[in-house]
Amino acid sequence: MSKVADPQKSDLMEKIVSLCKRRGFIFPSSEIYGGLGSAWDYGPLGAELKRNVKSAWWSTVVHQRDDMVGLDASILMHPKTWEASGHVNNFNDVLVDCRRCNSRFRIDHLKDGKCPSCGVKDFTDGRAFNLMFKTHYGAVEDGNVTYLRPETAQGIFVNFKNVLDTTHRKLPFGIAQIGKAFRNEVTAGNFTFRMREFEQMEVEYFTTKDQAADCHQRWIQERLQWYLNLGVRKENLQLRKHADDELAHYAAACTDIEYNFPFGWSELEGIANRTDYDLKQHAQFSGKDLQYQDLTTGEKFYPYVIEPSGGVDRATLAFLVDAYHEEVVKDQTRVVLKFSKQLAPVKVAVLPLLKKNDGIVTLAKRIKNDLQKEFVCVYDDTAAIGKLYRRQDEVGTFYCVTVDVQSLEDGQVTVRDRDTMAQERIAVDRLKGYLREKLAL
Ligand code: ATP
């Protein structure tokens, strides 16, 4: 839950929102019509950044493990799914209105029972509000009701048997999925932290009841390490174990990974021990046998499930906030996004020093053409070199390659490092190998 920020930190949030808009990371959705509450669009650089976040996750939790497979289930599912999962009956926020100032709040967001707007303790009775977006499928509006999925997890549970039958996996193993989820959140805000349409990256890891607690602890550590490996500063991450009265009724334990956002410590990802609840529920509602059979002992049982469930958008926002640095260089403020190599949306910028010199332009374009087969590159000749460097620093481009008059004579270009600002002359025919080495993970 978000807390009130100190002024310096809210200033930081404003700077990030404005940088995101100005440089094409994140725009308000349908902005020309005045925007839509809690919906945001990723611009050219944001789309690259978000793709990098997703592929870093997929690589770590699927490709680099022996016990995981992927899935891409549909957003629209049989409506019974949501009865079985408990979402039709239980996926509610309880809302209260302040009688004094008419502000509306989630009851679990109130501290000391006081109105966060006016401080008075005088609320209406709580009203439950289901967070699922209802929709109709097929040509006839009446009757054919379903929902936009509020989480990707259920797509994994309903496919448990399909995956098992086609991959012949033995416990423990897991299924990973990245995809859109929709929640008609009642309290929105804090930029992309809480949206009504967002993306989740979820794992359902199936194991035995005996192994579940250990397995839960391992996943907590592995997921924490993922954020650290991608460059998030250690002091900005913390684990928060849920108290017993906070746990969902089916969960045996849950720990959140929280990030120190400018608006306070808030959940990035939750790692829950969901017991055998989901598979049992779907077995009951579908009438299908969803048990796992141990082929050596012949024993049949419902596996326990460990669920690391993270948000792509929240992770992307945390990476942006964590990367944001201001430094004073020669009496001027340099804004630099210090993204890790894996996440930087652009790896190399090719900059011709003189845009009217045909030789320089031809060489610069040839270099860009060659490099872009391997790295995400941009070409920019629309300002003087100092300004071009600042522009690239501000979006986190790892290296700038500058082509100048001398390059035409000695076949070398200047390579500038984003973080140290150190410059090196590198022969054009060695450039690709040099960058490959520097940008290797
Ligand atoms: P919160 O308490 O903040 O509403 P939650 O506990 O309901 O979150 P989960 O149901 O555990 O969230 O969802 C798993 C993950 O999905 C969250 O950790 C978060 O990263 C992401 N997520 C959930 N709701 C949203 C949202 N409205 N906008 C963006 N990301 C979200």
Side-chain angles (χ1 to χ4, degrees):
M1 199 196 351
S2 331
K3 289 133 205 128
V4 178
D6 66 49
Q8 212 179 348
K9 284 195 150 185
S10 64
D11 188 39
L12 169 63
M13 202 59 211
E14 264 169 42
K15 284 179 180 170
I16 287 168
V17 174
S18 119
L19 188 152
C20 283
K21 171 83 203 298
R22 189 159 38 81
R23 300 306 314 274
F25 280 95
I26 300 171
F27 306 128
S29 160
S30 20
E31 194 183 8
I32 58 168
Y33 293 106
L36 179 72
S38 296
W40 298 90
D41 296 344
Y42 289 83
L45 287 172
E48 295 291 340
L49 177 61
K50 197 172 159 201
R51 272 173 63 115
N52 293 346
V53 171
K54 290 193 275 187
S55 57
W57 185 87
W58 194 266
S59 166
T60 305
V61 308
V62 183
H63 291 162
Q64 293 179 51
R65 298 180 62 116
D66 303 321
D67 54 354
M68 291 287 307
V69 290
L71 182 79
D72 190 351
S74 70
I75 288 173
L76 295 176
M77 299 177 69
H78 193 289
K80 271 204 164 170
T81 309
W82 307 112
E83 287 173 38
S85 68
H87 283 84
V88 170
N89 288 330
N90 301 325
F91 196 51
N92 300 318
D93 273 349
V94 178
L95 298 185
V96 289
D97 293 319
C98 172
R99 288 205 174 94
R100 171 70 66 88
C101 70
N102 293 325
S103 305
R104 179 167 295 169
F105 300 98
R106 261 167 68 169
I107 207 161
D108 61 328
H109 280 186
L110 294 179
K111 275 184 236 101
D112 320 325
K114 285 188 191 151
C115 172
S117 276
C118 69
V120 168
K121 279 188 183 175
D122 185 12
F123 294 104
T124 57
D125 290 340
R127 280 174 301 115
F129 182 87
N130 193 288
L131 297 184
M132 283 198 293
F133 279 96
K134 217 182 227 179
T135 188
H136 299 270
Y137 64 97
V140 189
E141 277 228 343
D142 288 345
N144 296 334
V145 166
T146 191
Y147 304 91
L148 302 184
R149 67 179 177 199
E151 60 177 31
T152 58
Q154 300 305 324
I156 299 182
F157 294 126
V158 300
N159 277 294
F160 172 69
K161 205 74 181 151
N162 281 336
V163 173
L164 201 56
D165 291 348
T166 49
T167 63
H168 311 290
R169 291 273 160 171
K170 294 201 172 52
L171 290 188
F173 77 94
I175 305 175
Q177 172 163 230
I178 298 179
K180 290 266 181 165
F182 301 81
R183 297 183 187 177
N184 203 358
E185 299 276 3
V186 283
T187 54
N190 282 339
F191 201 27
T192 52
F193 179 82
R194 188 175 301 286
M195 302 199 283
R196 296 201 167 96
E197 173 183 345
F198 56 98
E199 245 177 310
Q200 288 187 312
M201 29 195 193
E202 295 195 295
V203 170
E204 305 304 328
Y205 194 80
F206 302 95
T207 185
T208 59
K209 185 178 180 182
D210 290 352
Q211 297 288 318
D214 280 355
C215 189
H216 185 217
Q217 289 310 315
R218 274 200 303 280
W219 271 107
I220 294 169
Q221 291 311 320
E222 279 171 33
R223 293 304 306 138
L224 180 65
Q225 196 56 44
W226 184 77
Y227 293 98
L228 293 169
N229 289 350
L230 289 171
V232 176
R233 278 165 285 176
K234 204 172 179 180
E235 64 269 25
N236 286 335
L237 290 167
Q238 72 181 20
L239 296 176
R240 192 182 69 81
K241 194 169 180 288
H242 285 212
D244 287 349
D245 62 358
E246 247 185 295
L247 289 173
H249 62 281
Y250 51 79
C254 186
T255 293
D256 288 344
I257 299 176
E258 296 189 332
Y259 181 75
N260 188 12
F261 283 102
F263 43 83
W265 286 97
S266 307
E267 173 181 338
L268 265 186
E269 169 160 353
I271 301 126
N273 176 347
R274 294 181 72 112
T275 69
D276 52 4
Y277 174 80
D278 303 274
L279 288 177
K280 276 187 172 164
Q281 284 292 105
H282 286 300
Q284 191 193 328
F285 277 73
S286 66
K288 299 285 184 315
D289 181 6
L290 301 181
Q291 292 181 94
Y292 172 85
Q293 184 166 30
D294 184 327
L295 292 178
T296 44
T297 63
E299 190 196 354
K300 280 180 111 185
F301 60 93
Y302 288 99
Y304 262 46
V305 174
I306 306 303
E307 179 194 71
S309 170
V312 178
D313 311 273
R314 283 193 192 173
T316 303
L317 183 59
F319 291 127
L320 266 164
V321 171
D322 218 73
Y324 187 91
H325 286 77
E326 284 182 9
E327 298 168 355
V328 177
V329 179
K330 291 188 192 138
D331 293 335
Q332 291 218 331
T333 304
R334 173 174 102 113
V335 173
V336 49
L337 289 183
K338 294 190 176 177
F339 288 125
S340 65
K341 287 177 199 171
Q342 228 169 327
L343 295 183
V346 179
K347 311 295 182 212
V348 185
V350 181
L351 313 171
L353 198 66
L354 299 169
K355 70 172 176 185
K356 291 199 173 121
N357 180 314
D358 287 345
I360 290 180
V361 170
T362 306
L363 178 58
K365 288 199 168 154
R366 204 190 82 209
I367 290 173
K368 196 234 171 197
N369 230 302
D370 185 37
L371 293 181
Q372 72 190 8
K373 298 190 181 88
E374 221 167 297
F375 315 102
V376 179
C377 289
V378 295
Y379 181 93
D380 193 0
D381 63 2
T382 58
I385 193 70
K387 195 160 183 193
L388 293 181
Y389 282 154
R390 277 201 300 282
R391 271 188 202 160
Q392 296 305 325
D393 288 344
E394 204 184 34
V395 300
T397 304
F398 241 90
Y399 291 104
C400 288
V401 171
T402 306
V403 183
D404 54 24
V405 177
Q406 186 149 4
S407 307
L408 303 178
E409 288 156 24
D410 64 9
Q412 296 186 338
V413 288
T414 303
V415 179
R416 174 185 178 271
D417 181 290
R418 177 195 71 194
D419 296 339
T420 62
M421 293 185 287
Q423 304 191 1
E424 238 184 299
R425 292 292 282 181
I426 304 289
V428 174
D429 53 9
R430 272 190 53 226
L431 183 61
K432 211 175 188 178
Y434 172 90
L435 292 171
R436 198 180 285 146
E437 208 170 286
K438 291 276 188 186
L439 289 165
L441 298 176

